[in-house]
Amino acid sequence: QVQLVESGGGLVQPGGSLRLSCAASGSIFSINTMGWYRQAPGKERELVAAITSGGITNYTDSVKGRFTISRDNAKKTVYLQMSSLKPEDTAVYYCNAGFHTFAARYFELWGRGTLVTVST
């Protein structure tokens, strides 16, 4: 059915940049809010950034000014452009999105996650 697939994670040096992508596929009528969460070892999962269907964005304080979330509705894809990366950004990043099916049912999905490691 519907799934979310993240890509773009990897190893980068502090101060470097990385762009994450999350593509939705399947029978989807519409996609509502899409977001990125992250979970570092030993820590709880936290919201990094979110973007509504209308393009309104929200960021956690620690990434403001460094990360930019965007979406391409035609491609059913959400992106997270990460710049000035810090070691504390190291985590598994998960994509999340809310959907409406053609039967007008709402549901939410998580991607499997992509690892971002920021280290010298």
Side-chain angles (χ1 to χ4, degrees), residues 37-117:
Y37 291 72
R38 67 185 180 188
Q39 187 166 24
K43 300 185 68 176
E44 296 182 352
R45 187 173 299 186
E46 65 171 346
L47 173 68
V48 178
I51 182 168
T52 69
S53 60
I56 305 300
T57 59
N58 184 42
Y59 301 90
T60 190
D61 288 342
S62 63
V63 308
K64 289 180 179 177
R66 299 189 298 119
F67 291 11
T68 301
I69 188 170
S70 61
R71 63 191 288 167
D72 186 331
N73 290 331
K75 295 182 178 180
K76 300 178 182 178
T77 301
V78 62
Y79 305 94
L80 184 67
Q81 178 65 51
M82 304 183 292
S83 301
S84 301
L85 284 162
K86 304 175 180 179
E88 51 263 43
D89 294 320
T90 296
V92 176
Y93 285 70
Y94 297 91
C95 178
N96 175 267
F99 307 88
H100 277 100
T101 69
F102 287 96
R105 301 295 186 184
Y106 178 82
F107 65 98
E108 187 176 295
L109 285 180
W110 290 91
R112 286 178 169 268
T114 184
L115 177 63
V116 173
T117 302

